[in-house]
Amino acid sequence: MKKLMICFVLLLCSGYVMAQKDSLQMDENNTYVYYKVVNQVTVPETEVYRRAWDFARNLNRNSRPEKGQAEHAFNISGSFLVYSGTSLMRKESGAVSYLFNFQAADGRYRFKFGNFKFIPYKRDRYGNMVPVSGISTPIEKLADAYTQKERDAYFDQIAANCIYLDKLLKQAIYGTEIKKVPAKAIKVNTGKW
């Protein structure tokens, strides 16, 4: 019975990991995006826009959000790292840059992470992982240079980062904070063996 329960739990966990890649969709331009529309927002439209603007400004300190063409809309670019290898031999494989679009209107808002571009990393002469200059590949064209296993790992990490940023945006808009539980201090008696 124990083995059956353990297999069931592992099966559920693997299903969750596989489902992350499915959260990336193809848009009308045949590019991958993470797109979401949230309806029935109880916060006023201008307050949703202000909170999302603050979230975006804190998301990427190097650039400032740019106003969009529509009212209560903005765009900002950012990036995150993707890794390769096992947990013990894990290294930075590259960076993925993205464009974040946001728009609030009439008790709802929508956002999109898109325009994903992969910038590979290489080891320099000092042993550090640094970006390869001049190479930026749209993630739709990763099939040309990487194996299926590597592409799947990159897509899973891109989707996981988008899901995480979605969670942070939701917390910023609704005003809830991430509660960090402080670690309990363990007292050790060094006088006794």
Side-chain angles (χ1 to χ4, degrees):
M1 185 69 179
K2 261 187 185 178
K3 290 181 183 179
L4 184 61
M5 285 299 285
I6 290 173
C7 289
F8 182 70
V9 169
L10 290 175
L11 183 65
L12 285 176
C13 292
S14 66
Y16 174 72
V17 171
M18 294 295 197
Q20 287 183 350
K21 181 174 39 175
D22 296 337
S23 61
L24 292 178
Q25 305 133 3
M26 291 291 256
D27 68 354
E28 63 276 357
N29 299 325
N30 290 329
T31 60
Y32 284 103
V33 296
Y34 181 84
Y35 179 76
K36 199 173 241 187
V37 177
V38 179
N39 294 318
Q40 300 175 346
V41 179
T42 57
V43 182
E45 177 183 338
T46 55
E47 186 65 18
V48 168
Y49 177 72
R50 187 191 63 77
R51 290 178 183 180
W53 181 278
D54 291 341
F55 165 77
R57 196 177 60 223
N58 292 329
L59 184 64
N60 186 0
R61 301 233 182 232
N62 296 333
S63 67
R64 189 171 191 270
E66 299 174 7
K67 285 204 167 275
Q69 294 176 349
E71 187 177 356
H72 295 118
F74 65 84
N75 307 316
I76 189 169
S77 60
S79 66
F80 49 81
L81 292 176
V82 291
Y83 299 91
S84 64
T86 61
S87 61
L88 293 176
M89 300 295 291
R90 194 169 161 180
K91 65 176 183 173
E92 296 95 359
S93 180
V96 175
S97 64
Y98 61 87
L99 183 65
F100 174 62
N101 300 320
F102 181 87
Q103 182 179 7
D106 300 334
R108 62 179 189 240
Y109 66 90
R110 66 181 178 175
F111 64 92
K112 177 177 80 169
F113 290 98
N115 199 18
F116 294 108
K117 290 190 173 34
F118 180 74
I119 302 150
Y121 275 26
K122 68 175 183 176
R123 197 169 297 280
D124 67 357
R125 65 182 184 178
Y126 302 109
N128 301 323
M129 297 301 287
V130 295
V132 177
S133 61
I135 298 178
S136 176
T137 308
I139 65 168
E140 296 80 23
K141 296 184 180 178
L142 285 179
D144 300 340
Y146 297 96
T147 65
Q148 182 69 35
K149 184 178 177 182
E150 290 173 323
R151 283 187 311 232
D152 287 345
Y154 295 153
F155 279 113
D156 285 340
Q157 291 178 51
I158 291 168
N161 277 310
C162 290
I163 290 169
Y164 176 70
L165 291 173
D166 175 18
K167 179 182 166 189
L168 291 180
L169 176 64
K170 195 175 291 184
Q171 289 173 349
I173 288 175
Y174 291 110
T176 57
E177 303 244 350
I178 300 173
K179 295 181 181 178
K180 293 185 180 179
V181 178
K184 286 187 174 182
I186 301 172
K187 294 185 179 182
V188 178
N189 188 354
T190 59
K192 294 183 181 178
W193 287 73

